[in-house]
């Protein structure tokens, strides 16, 4: 917990009650998903999971006073896309799938998460993509094959380019896996900036009341890009937005590259409004 987050009675009591509510509720929902999975389509299983996501977000708001605002949803394309998001907290793994409904997201995650009681067991019913990160290049081959299969079925893919939750104000090297998939499948990427870590920090039990900003950027076409240049365009946009959303934690930057939209309905709308 940062020095700015004082341990007020509300913070302490709210965080404890939120934890208890999650621990009590999650096994029931997970057992339902596991038992019902053979009778449900993949789409129905995903909607059931999003119901759990929504409840967790609502519990966080009720007990801890952590709310959120969404910006840029008009940027989302009408066709499939690959989401490349900032990763500061567990919060975005709950909220982003809910906000992207009716689109169905497919996550790429480390296989160790499947071992988490109830949570991991329920996730195993979702046909997400679990990878062994120790396999290096072979892991990307696995991701590419599995992702193409899921995208053909209509799913949107989601990656965290920095690979792990990053403390507020810091940045890790952006990995090129999502960009390589975008180029291989000719699919636009949507960068996402957020400041959830200011309120629900990595490995912090106590939650700080406030309003999270979740901001979707314009889709970026992979046409004409290498994996490195596309990743850099995503990084520049996200980090520039972080300086706007959280100027006290991120220095201002003017390095953002122009974004090439690949969605005709967005381009037409901009032309009409100009």
């Amino acid at each position: 917990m940062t020095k700015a987050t004082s341990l007020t009675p509300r913070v302490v009591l709210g965080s404890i009650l939120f934890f208890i509510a999650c621990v009590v509720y999650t096994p029931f929902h997970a057992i339902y998903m596991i038992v019902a999975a053979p009778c449900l389509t993949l789409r129905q299983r995903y909607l059931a999971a999003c119901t759990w996501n929504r409840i967790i977000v609502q519990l966080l708001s009720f007990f801890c006073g952590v709310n959120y605002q969404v910006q840029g949803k008009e940027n989302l394309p009408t066709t499939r896309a690959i989401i490349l998001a900032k990763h500061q907290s567990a919060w975005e793994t709950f909220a982003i799938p809910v906000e992207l409904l009716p689109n169905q997201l497919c996550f790429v995650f480390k296989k160790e998460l499947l071992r988490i009681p109830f949570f991991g067991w329920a996730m195993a019913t979702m046909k997400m993509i679990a990878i062994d990160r120790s396999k290096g290049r072979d892991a990307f081959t696995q991701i590419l094959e599995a992702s193409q299969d899921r995208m053909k079925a209509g799913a949107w893919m989601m990656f965290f380019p920095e690979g792990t939750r990053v403390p507020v104000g810091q940045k890790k090297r952006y990995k090129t896996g999502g960009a390589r998939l975008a180029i291989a499948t000719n699919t636009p990427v949507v960068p996402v900036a957020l400041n959830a870590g200011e309120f629900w920090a990595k490995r912090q039990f106590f939650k700080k009341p406030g309003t999270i900003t979740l901001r979707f950027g314009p889709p970026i076409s992979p046409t004409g890009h290498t994996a490195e240049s596309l990743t850099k365009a995503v990084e520049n946009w996200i980090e520039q937005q972080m300086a706007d959303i959280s100027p006290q934690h991120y220095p201002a930057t003017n390095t953002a590259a122009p974004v090439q939209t690949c969605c005709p309905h967005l381009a037409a709308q901009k032309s009409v409004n100009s």
Side-chain angles (χ1 to χ4, degrees):
M1 176 163 292
T2 64
K3 294 181 180 178
T5 307
S6 57
L7 289 179
T8 64
R10 180 186 180 183
V11 168
V12 173
L13 181 60
S15 298
I16 292 173
L17 291 175
F18 172 70
F19 174 77
I20 293 172
C22 290
V23 169
V24 171
Y25 176 72
T26 296
F28 288 101
H29 198 100
I31 290 170
Y32 160 73
M33 289 190 61
I34 295 167
V35 172
C39 304
L40 300 176
T41 65
L42 182 59
R43 174 69 178 176
Q44 290 170 329
R45 280 177 258 162
Y46 182 78
L47 293 176
C50 282
T51 298
W52 178 70
N53 286 12
R54 192 186 303 276
I55 289 172
I56 296 298
V57 171
Q58 291 172 343
L59 290 172
L60 185 67
S61 174
F62 182 77
F63 289 118
C64 302
V66 180
N67 302 299
Y68 70 99
Q69 60 180 348
V70 182
Q71 301 172 351
K73 282 189 76 171
E74 68 277 5
N75 289 325
L76 295 174
T78 55
T79 56
R80 72 184 184 189
I82 296 172
I83 302 295
L84 300 180
K86 191 72 174 176
H87 198 16
Q88 294 184 339
S89 169
W91 179 86
E92 50 266 23
T93 65
F94 299 117
I96 292 179
V98 171
E99 287 301 322
L100 287 180
L101 286 172
N103 300 302
Q104 183 171 331
L105 276 182
C106 179
F107 283 86
V108 176
F109 63 93
K110 57 184 180 181
K111 67 177 184 179
E112 289 81 4
L113 293 179
L114 295 174
R115 300 172 187 166
I116 300 175
F118 298 108
F119 173 83
W121 305 338
M123 184 179 288
T125 71
M126 300 293 299
K127 204 175 179 181
M128 300 294 179
I129 301 175
I131 61 168
D132 183 349
R133 294 192 297 185
S134 66
K135 292 187 176 180
R137 292 181 180 275
D138 290 338
F140 178 72
T141 301
Q142 175 192 355
I143 292 172
L144 181 61
E145 294 175 353
S147 297
Q148 288 177 326
D149 178 62
R150 296 292 291 112
M151 292 171 74
K152 287 179 182 178
W156 290 29
M157 297 301 301
M158 180 167 169
F159 294 84
F160 297 115
E162 291 170 284
T164 187
R165 289 173 294 171
V166 180
V168 173
Q170 298 182 25
K171 181 180 76 168
K172 287 186 177 292
R173 182 179 67 84
Y174 279 58
K175 299 177 181 179
T176 60
R180 285 189 284 168
L181 177 63
I183 292 170
T185 59
N186 193 30
T187 302
V189 300
V190 175
V192 181
L194 51 90
N195 64 334
E198 293 184 38
F199 309 94
W200 183 351
K202 179 180 180 180
R203 296 195 182 97
Q204 291 292 339
F205 180 81
F206 297 107
K207 316 303 188 283
K208 176 184 176 182
T211 302
I212 295 168
T213 296
L214 174 63
R215 183 176 295 175
F216 294 98
I220 305 174
S221 170
T223 303
H225 276 289
T226 63
E228 289 72 22
S229 67
L230 181 56
T231 300
K232 189 62 178 177
V234 169
E235 177 182 353
N236 286 342
W237 187 90
I238 290 176
E239 295 304 321
Q240 184 183 52
Q241 301 309 307
M242 296 309 301
D244 179 61
I245 295 171
S246 302
Q248 70 276 30
H249 297 296
Y250 293 86
T253 174
N254 295 315
T255 59
V259 173
Q260 176 186 356
T261 181
C262 57
C263 303
H265 75 284
L266 290 177
Q269 181 178 354
K270 291 178 182 177
S271 177
V272 169
N273 293 335
S274 61

